[in-house]
Structures are given as C-alpha cells and as structure tokens.
C-alpha cells in the first residue's frame, strides 16, 4: 500500500486539478493584457530557467549562507551584477565600495533603506535625537509626495515623521521644495527613478547634491526602474554616478523579469550596509545575524533572479528595454492624440499615467477611470490611481497607470485601438460622483458634514456594509469581489477622509481571504 493512501485528504492529482480550476479566474500573467503587477519578458525560455533554478534551490534556507554556500555565491554574483548596472564603485573610490543585500521585494528594500538611515542618523546625532524626543518630535523622512507608499509604511514602522515635498499638479517635484525642508533633523531624503504614479524621474543630481551639503543620507528608489533605466536612452545620471546618493533599491521581480520575491538594496560603503543588519548573541539559541527583515527565508527567488541576470546579461536587458522604449514612445504619442486624454507629466521610463485633458471643456474630456473600466471590457487592464489633495491644497489628479513591458510591443496595435475605442465610449462622461453614498455616510458620521468637521472610522462590520452598498462583495459576501466598474468606488474613496477610506479598503482585502 502506498503511503499516500493513508492520508485523509484527496489525491495529489485532484488537489492540483482544483488549483488549476482556481487559477482560471486569475488575471492573465502573460501576454501583455494586464498593464500592472506582472512583468513579462515574453521569453518562455526565461520562465523555464527561473522555474528550474527555483526548484533546484527549493529546500534551502537562505537564513544561513555558511551552511548553504550556494546562497552566498548567488547573492555575491547578483549584487555584483546590480552594482555594475547602477555604476557603483567596487573600490574605496567615492565612498565605496558599493555593497548590499538581496531582499524579498521592493517594500523590504525600501523599509531597510529607511531603517539603516535612521540608525546611522541616531548614532551620529545623539544629542539632537534626545532633544527631539524631549519635545515629542521625531526625525523626518523627506520625500516627494509621489514617492512609493512603502516609505509611509517605513516612517510608521521606524518611528519617523513622513514630511512629503508638495508636487506640482503634473506630479513633478521642485528642487526648491527640498531646499526648504532639509535640516539636521532629517534622517533620510528619498527620490524616485522613476516615481510609480507618474513615471517621472525626480531631480536626483540636484537633490542628492543638496543632501550631501547638509550631510544627509539620500536614497534613490529605483524599485521600478532599476533594471530598465540603465539601458534607457537619453537620461541624466541618476544612480551611483551621482555624488551624494548613498543607497539605491532595485526590484529584480519587476524589470529583472524574475518571479516575485526578489529585490536588492545597495549602499555606498560597508559602514552603511552593516547598519542594516540585526545581530544578537543574547538569547540561548544560535547566534542570530539577519541582514534583512526576515529570518528563515527562501533561496528560490534569489536563484531565479541570479539565473535570469546571468542568461540575459547586459545585452539581454538592453534588448528587452529597447522594446519597452519603443512601446512607451508609441503609447505616449498615440494617447496624446486621443481627444480629451493626456499623458500625465513627463514620464521617463516604462511607467505612463493617463489623465483627462483639463484644457478642454468637460464634455470633451476622457475620464481616466471610466477609460480604465471601459478598457477592461475590451480585454486590457490598466490601473486606477485615485486623485489626492496634498497638504497645502495642490491637487494631484486621478489617473490610470500603464506599466510597459517587453510583451506590450506585440499587443500595441490592438492596445492603441482599444484605447481609442474606450475613449470614444466614455468621452464627456464626468468623473463618477458618489453623491448619494456620501450623503448616507455623512448621516452615519463617517464623513464630515463640512470641511474640517469631525468623522468616525467605521468598524469592520460597518465598513463591510458600506462596501456592499458601493457594489463590492457580489459573491454572497463570502468570496468577496470587486464591482465590475471601479470608477465609482475610487471616486468614493477619493472623497472620504483618508482614515475612513483606508478602513473600507482594508476591509475589502480582509474579507477576500477571510475563511
Ligand atoms: C513596486 C515599487 C515599490 C515596492 O515594491 P514591492 O515589490 O511591490 O514591494 C517601491 N517603489 C517603487 C517605485 C515601486 O514601483
């Protein structure tokens, strides 16, 4: 009798068949029809290589590269590859050598960049740190308002005050905005290459230069662009060539084309890198030395990224990036020609956001969220980005995001046709106005009666009732789902106080996987 038959559960084949059925409802990960979340090289060979490398290393625990030295070799080579791509010195020259760690993703890289800078700041400013603490204040994290939300998360986790520099309505940020904010109580300055929401590269050389004058750490968040911009034509230096840049994050699971779970964080100089580590001998177990946030961790994402960078090399990435450049140029050109639609700001890289052309009367504008909803019915998914009013009142518009990957080129004629058709279908349709929902929420006290009024944050059950009213959770409230069209939900979220919108959206995600 085989051992498996003693288990109570179904046979392996049956379980895998169930999973295959579940997978049928997932958005397609390949083929270029989903223009966010997934980064498809279009090369089946790379997927197979990543799969095989991941499988070979599946049983390892990357917690301890002295027990599993293959992990050390792969990490060393991957960091070496990235150091070269980001023009980091390998020697003491210019404050080097650039060294770093492989992490589980962009968020972990960003969190560690902040933690490292904070710890260095505390060590260098013990008196100021004590003075701020006495005054009930915290050191600041200065970023553009367009910086990835992972930095807000980092500020909350590591007890810093996030102090965003207000951006222009086109999402760009001025150097003068940084100049006004920098001071000795700034633990870290962050700039993006590019920012995810608008695809623009921040004025990195200028900001890093000022940060250096103040003796401050300056991180470049290249999670998105770190494996595309090195081969993107016509860019001013934005990486370790820029004096004053002290660390860079770059995601291998985006334009590195590795499966999810791998990113790198590089630092200028060993001292900075070592400040990232956690080590303790003060417990009765094994000596714990963790360069990153996790303890036990998989080696498979590292192995897959290592294998792919080896196979592609500089030339491979140059070729894949060239395809993204061609597609991005075409989409910027074609989208700008669609009446009522504009490209938001000045993207430099593979992220493009579409916005309504506000220079036209409302009847001729194309609302980007209605466009995204309409485009979904034509087989392409682009990402709704809600609008946002910054402190001081400058409004960043609601937009629709497209991540351009190498497979975009194969779908370009179809995608451009779909964009035109979707725009024609929604032109003149004003932004969704959840007036009735808002009135109801005001009556219940979840939205202020007038600007500046008070409100309360809904409980989980109240948040769920609001979601049901807004059209989410169609499947009897169990396997909850999003409404078919997201524009109304986004418009509602935009108009609610942030803590209320955050509670409602958290509830949506929590209910999705609640047993
Ligand atoms: C994706 C991204 C992150 C966060 O990365 P995750 O891999 O999603 O955790 C941070 N910054 C930028 C600019 C990004 O695009």
């Amino acid at each position: 009798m085989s051992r498996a038959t003693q288990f109570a559960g179904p046979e392996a084949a049956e379980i895998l068949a169930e999973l295959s059925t579940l997978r049928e409802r997932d958005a397609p990960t390949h083929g270029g029809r989903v223009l966010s979340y997934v980064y498809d090289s279009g090369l089946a060979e790379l997927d197979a290589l990543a799969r095989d490398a991941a499988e070979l290393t599946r049983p390892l625990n990357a917690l301890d590269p002295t027990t599993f030295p293959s992990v050390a070799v792969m990490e060393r080579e991957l960091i070496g590859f990235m150091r070269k791509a980001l023009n980091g010195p390998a020697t003491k020259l210019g404050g080097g050598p650039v060294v770093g760690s492989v992490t589980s993703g962009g968020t972990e890289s960003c969190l560690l960049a902040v933690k490292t800078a904070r710890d260095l700041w505390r060590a260098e400013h013990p008196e100021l740190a004590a003075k701020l603490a006495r005054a009930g204040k915290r050191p600041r994290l200065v970023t553009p308002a367009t910086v990835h939300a992972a930095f807000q998360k980092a500020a909350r986790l590591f007890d810093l005050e996030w102090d965003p520099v207000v951006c222009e309505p086109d999402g760009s940020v001025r150097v003068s905005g940084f100049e006004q904010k920098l001071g000795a109580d700034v633990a870290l300055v962050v700039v993006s290459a590019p920012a995810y929401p608008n695809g623009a590269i921040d004025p990195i050389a200028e900001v890093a230069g000022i940060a250096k004058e103040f003796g401050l750490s300056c991180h470049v968040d290249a999670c998105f662009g770190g494996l595309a911009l090195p081969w993107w034509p016509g860019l001013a230096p934005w990486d370790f060539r820029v004096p004053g840049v002290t660390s860079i994050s770059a995601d291998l699971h985006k334009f590195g084309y590795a499966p999810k779970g791998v990113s790198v964080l590089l630092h200028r100089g060993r001292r900075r890198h070592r400040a990232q580590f956690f080590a303790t001998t003060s417990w009765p177990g094994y000596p714990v030395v963790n360069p990153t946030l996790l303890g036990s961790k998989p080696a498979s994402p590292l192995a897959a990224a290592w294998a792919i960078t080896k196979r592609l090399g500089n030339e491979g990435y140059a070729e894949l990036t060239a395809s993204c450049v061609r597609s991005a140029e075409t989409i910027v050109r074609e989208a700008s020609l669609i009446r009522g639609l504009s490209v938001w700001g000045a993207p430099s890289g593979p992220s493009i956001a579409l916005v309504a052309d506000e220079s036209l009367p409302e009847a001729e504008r194309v609302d980007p969220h209605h466009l995204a909803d309409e485009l979904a019915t034509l087989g392409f998914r682009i990402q709704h980005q809600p609008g946002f009013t910054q402190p001081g009142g400058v409004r960043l518009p609601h937009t629709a995001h497209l991540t351009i990957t190498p497979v975009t080129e194969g779908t370009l004629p179809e995608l451009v046709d779909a964009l035109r058709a979707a725009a024609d279908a929604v032109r003149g349709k004003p932004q969704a106005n959840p007036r009735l929902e808002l009135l109801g929420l005001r009556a219940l006290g979840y939205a202020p009666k007038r600007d500046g009024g008070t409100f309360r944050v809904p409980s989980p059950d109240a948040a769920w009732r609001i979601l049901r009213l807004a059209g989410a959770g169609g499947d009897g409230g169990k396997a909850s789902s999003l409404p078919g069209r997201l524009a109304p939900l986004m418009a509602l979220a935009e108009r609610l106080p942030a803590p209320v919108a955050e509670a409602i959206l958290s509830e949506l995600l929590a209910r999705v996987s609640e047993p």
Side-chain angles (χ1 to χ4, degrees):
M1 194 164 80
S2 82
R3 207 159 144 225
T5 56
Q6 297 167 19
F7 297 133
E11 295 290 333
E14 213 176 309
I15 296 169
L16 293 176
E18 182 184 343
L19 182 53
S20 299
T21 309
L22 290 175
R23 286 283 285 103
E24 282 167 16
R25 285 181 57 188
D26 291 338
T29 55
H30 288 74
R33 296 189 159 267
V34 177
L35 289 103
S36 60
Y37 302 120
V38 289
Y39 300 74
D40 182 4
S41 68
L43 303 172
E45 178 205 334
L46 284 192
D47 287 350
L49 174 61
R51 180 196 63 213
D52 293 346
E55 193 47 43
L56 265 174
T57 49
R58 182 86 60 202
L60 298 181
N61 187 347
L63 167 66
D64 185 359
T66 64
T67 303
F68 307 109
S70 65
V71 171
V73 174
M74 290 186 292
E75 178 156 24
R76 186 190 306 156
E77 294 190 2
L78 187 54
I79 294 291
F81 178 84
M82 289 309 301
R83 172 164 75 190
K84 213 172 208 169
L86 302 177
N87 294 296
T91 65
K92 267 203 150 38
L93 224 78
V98 162
V99 288
S101 298
V102 173
T103 73
S104 65
T107 299
E108 191 182 7
S109 291
C110 297
L111 293 178
L112 284 170
V114 173
K115 187 214 89 90
T116 301
R118 184 205 62 178
D119 288 356
L120 287 169
W121 182 89
R122 280 184 181 165
E124 283 163 18
H125 301 83
E127 280 160 25
L128 182 53
K131 191 176 149 201
L132 287 177
R134 277 196 305 275
K137 290 184 173 170
R138 297 167 300 170
R140 285 179 296 139
L141 173 64
V142 173
T143 79
T146 49
V147 86
H148 195 278
F151 289 94
Q152 294 185 47
K153 187 190 243 180
R156 287 195 213 174
L157 286 174
F158 301 124
D159 203 29
L160 299 176
E161 187 191 331
W162 180 49
D163 190 8
V165 177
V166 170
C167 290
E168 304 296 306
D170 71 354
S172 66
V173 66
R174 292 202 186 154
V175 180
S176 58
F178 283 90
E179 271 166 342
Q180 286 158 15
K181 284 203 187 282
L182 298 196
D185 66 328
V186 172
L188 180 64
V189 183
V190 183
V191 275
S192 307
Y196 185 88
N198 61 338
I201 301 178
D202 291 330
I204 293 172
E206 294 83 346
V207 174
I210 304 168
K212 194 165 196 269
E213 274 173 36
F214 278 88
L216 307 176
S217 300
C218 179
H219 178 76
V220 174
D221 179 18
C223 280
F224 189 81
L227 282 116
L229 298 192
W231 301 278
W232 204 273
L235 303 182
W238 56 274
D239 54 19
F240 283 111
R241 285 168 293 177
V242 176
V245 168
T246 50
S247 57
I248 303 182
S249 50
D251 288 355
L252 272 309
H253 66 199
K254 287 180 182 160
F255 290 93
Y257 308 110
K260 289 291 178 268
V262 55
S263 169
V264 295
L265 173 61
L266 300 187
H267 300 275
R268 198 190 291 274
R270 293 195 177 95
R271 195 177 70 89
R272 304 193 69 86
H273 179 232
R274 305 316 190 240
Q276 180 192 301
F277 281 54
F278 169 82
T280 184
T281 50
S282 305
W283 78 308
Y286 59 92
V288 168
V289 184
N290 294 156
T292 60
L293 293 175
L294 301 180
S296 287
K297 58 185 178 183
S300 290
L302 161 65
W306 171 84
I308 288 177
T309 51
K310 246 181 143 56
R311 176 82 182 117
L312 280 178
N314 205 49
E315 289 70 28
Y317 280 107
E319 204 173 297
L320 290 172
T321 303
S323 167
C324 297
V325 173
R326 289 190 295 270
S327 296
E329 282 171 359
T330 304
I331 290 171
V332 166
R333 188 179 61 240
E334 295 296 332
S336 308
L337 288 173
I338 295 175
R339 187 155 180 84
L341 198 62
S342 290
V343 169
W344 189 36
S348 294
S351 165
I352 296 170
L354 303 177
V355 65
D357 182 352
E358 305 243 325
S359 70
L360 294 178
E362 213 166 275
E364 292 178 47
R365 290 183 203 162
V366 172
D367 178 84
H369 287 185
H370 289 318
L371 177 84
D373 283 342
E374 192 65 28
L375 206 60
T377 69
L378 301 175
F380 286 97
R381 293 215 206 175
I382 63 177
Q383 199 174 39
H384 302 68
Q385 302 190 127
F388 165 66
T389 302
Q390 305 173 83
V394 178
R395 192 167 167 71
L396 299 178
H398 67 294
T399 57
H401 163 100
L402 292 80
T403 292
I404 310 302
T405 63
V407 289
T408 308
E409 202 167 19
T411 68
L412 260 187
E414 221 187 320
L415 173 59
V416 169
D417 278 351
L419 277 171
R420 289 196 194 114
D424 287 344
V426 303
R427 185 170 295 109
K429 186 175 174 184
Q431 182 183 16
N433 185 353
R435 212 169 43 87
L436 288 177
E437 286 89 340
L438 265 179
L439 278 176
L441 289 173
R442 271 199 197 111
L444 292 167
Y446 298 127
K449 295 249 162 33
R450 60 198 122 57
D451 275 355
T454 56
F455 61 86
R456 59 200 175 108
V457 175
S459 70
D461 287 337
W464 183 235
R465 282 194 296 276
I466 296 167
L467 277 165
R468 300 297 300 257
L469 289 175
D475 297 353
K478 267 289 174 204
S480 77
S481 61
L482 287 169
R485 292 189 175 249
L486 281 179
L489 184 62
M490 293 285 156
L492 181 62
E494 237 182 74
R495 282 164 178 74
L496 288 173
V500 175
E502 286 155 9
I504 290 174
L505 295 175
S506 296
E507 192 58 30
L508 180 72
L509 206 64
R511 296 272 172 162
V512 167
S513 42
E514 198 170 278

